[in-house]
Amino acid sequence: MTTVPGTSPQQESQKPLVMDGNALRDLIVEQIGARVAAAGNPHICLATVLIGEDGPSQTYVRNKHKFAAKAGLVSRNETMPANCTQSEAEALVASLAADPSVHGILVQQPLPSHLNNDAVLALLPADKDVDGLTAESLGRLVRGEPGLVPCTPLGVLRLLEHYGIATAGKHAVIVGRSTLVGTPLAILLSRKGVDATATIAHSRTSNLAELCRSADIVIGASGQAGMIGKDHCKPGATLIDVGISRTEKGIVGDIDFEAVQNIAGAITPMPGGTGPMTIACLLENTLTAAALQGVKIS
Ligand code: NDP
């Protein structure tokens, strides 16, 4: 057994299970590749729309294409300059929506501020909406109808499933109420079959630490660096970090990883936890989108 300086073997054995999003992403990419190959390598295409030159967005899109290729999917990257007009952005998305050779469309967020994001998203057919962000996709999610679910919340669910974290009858607190992460995640966690009791917290929630301490699963999706610490964690709780903050120390999450080391039962690293899972679930959604459009995949 290796000993970490400053810890006794007993303390070391209390370290939480680290839920490795990179490893699970690689496994899911491999499984998607196998399903595509077993179906005779049908043409399945993911198109991304990147408007402007935002550095992190360029990196995210590059990674999405890299892993799409590994999964045996075709991918297209459509770019537009930051100063494009609303009608140019809408024309591009409408052309992809009408193109039968494109199965999934992802409009990389955020769009430059002069563009109307909702008007652009409204052009996505729900069956091609691999980010699951349109009103129709979110409506299907709420109604429990087949459809495409936002990738980051789906990635959280896949991590819980893969690492055998019990959800039925458990209390999950999600810190953050956005339509991108917090709200769809609460719906997914409280669905039949997953059966958690989900509480959504936000910036106006009273006694946040106490609320989180009552939870079996805490998901940080606020973007506030290190705001979830030992006061928010009951012994053995599962902590999932979605938040991303770029600091002088590099990328950090909402969870103070070091502070909860001897308390949490399982934890995701940041980076290397939910981020890779977002990509894996984008590819899973692309396969689902292709199936919704009639491509035969078992
Ligand atoms: P938003 O800014 O839309 O939402 C943040 C939420 O956090 C809001 O509901 C806000 O409450 C809440 N919040 C902010 N401060 C506090 C606080 N002090 N206490 C409690 N709640 C608080 O962000 P997103 O949902 O789009 O993203 C959340 C984070 O996840 C970001 O850091 C983002 O970068 C990251 N992210 C990570 C992904 C991944 O793959 N890991 C993918 C997508 C996003 P209120 O509504 O009251 O303002």
Side-chain angles (χ1 to χ4, degrees):
M1 173 167 41
T2 52
T3 306
V4 179
T7 62
S8 69
Q10 192 195 357
Q11 279 175 314
E12 195 184 36
S13 68
Q14 291 169 349
K15 294 265 182 249
L17 166 74
V18 175
M19 293 181 277
D20 183 343
N22 285 319
L24 183 53
R25 173 206 56 210
D26 290 346
L27 181 65
I28 291 174
V29 166
E30 199 183 308
Q31 288 168 345
I32 292 173
R35 285 176 66 194
V36 172
N41 294 308
H43 169 92
I44 299 173
C45 175
L46 167 68
T48 57
V49 174
L50 177 60
I51 301 179
E53 285 83 38
D54 178 61
S57 292
Q58 288 175 330
T59 306
Y60 293 147
V61 166
R62 214 173 21 250
N63 271 328
K64 287 165 185 172
H65 289 276
K66 178 175 134 188
F67 286 99
K70 284 189 179 186
L73 308 178
V74 175
S75 67
R76 263 167 76 172
N77 185 23
E78 303 286 347
T79 56
M80 292 204 115
N83 63 359
C84 75
T85 64
Q86 181 74 24
S87 50
E88 286 168 334
E90 288 186 14
L92 171 59
V93 172
S95 74
L96 294 170
D99 185 340
S101 73
V102 171
H103 300 93
I105 306 168
L106 175 135
V107 179
Q108 184 64 40
Q109 305 287 310
L111 293 187
S113 56
H114 69 281
L115 296 176
N116 179 339
N117 189 39
D118 288 346
V120 172
L121 289 184
L123 295 166
L124 295 178
D127 286 352
K128 293 190 179 187
D129 175 22
V130 284
D131 235 357
L133 290 180
T134 61
E136 187 172 344
S137 294
L138 291 168
R140 290 181 184 185
L141 175 64
V142 171
R143 294 171 64 95
E145 294 170 4
L148 298 161
V149 169
C151 304
T152 304
L154 186 59
V156 171
L157 212 62
R158 294 287 177 260
L159 276 167
L160 293 170
E161 286 164 1
H162 180 75
Y163 283 98
I165 308 291
T167 51
K170 302 296 180 187
H171 182 205
V173 168
I174 302 139
V175 185
R177 59 177 160 186
S178 71
T179 44
L180 180 66
V181 186
T183 297
L185 182 52
I187 296 168
L188 279 177
L189 285 168
S190 45
R191 265 184 172 177
K192 272 207 165 66
V194 184
D195 296 320
T197 303
T199 300
I200 299 182
H202 45 75
S203 65
R204 306 293 303 273
T205 297
S206 310
N207 302 327
L208 183 66
E210 195 183 324
L211 179 68
C212 290
R213 242 185 359 259
S214 74
D216 305 293
I217 301 168
V218 177
I219 297 136
S222 73
Q224 304 297 309
M227 70 165 289
I228 296 169
K230 60 181 170 44
D231 293 345
H232 300 73
C233 181
K234 85 169 168 191
T238 297
L239 305 180
I240 306 236
D241 208 344
V242 173
I244 297 174
S245 301
R246 290 181 170 77
T247 69
E248 286 168 356
K249 293 184 199 156
I251 290 178
V252 300
D254 285 10
I255 297 170
D256 185 343
F257 192 86
E258 293 308 319
V260 297
Q261 277 305 298
N262 293 316
I263 311 171
I267 190 168
T268 56
M270 176 56 71
T274 55
M277 289 307 298
T278 298
I279 293 183
C281 290
L282 171 68
L283 304 180
E284 180 182 327
N285 274 351
T286 305
L287 218 60
T288 306
L292 287 169
Q293 290 158 69
V295 176
K296 297 267 178 285
I297 309 152
S298 56

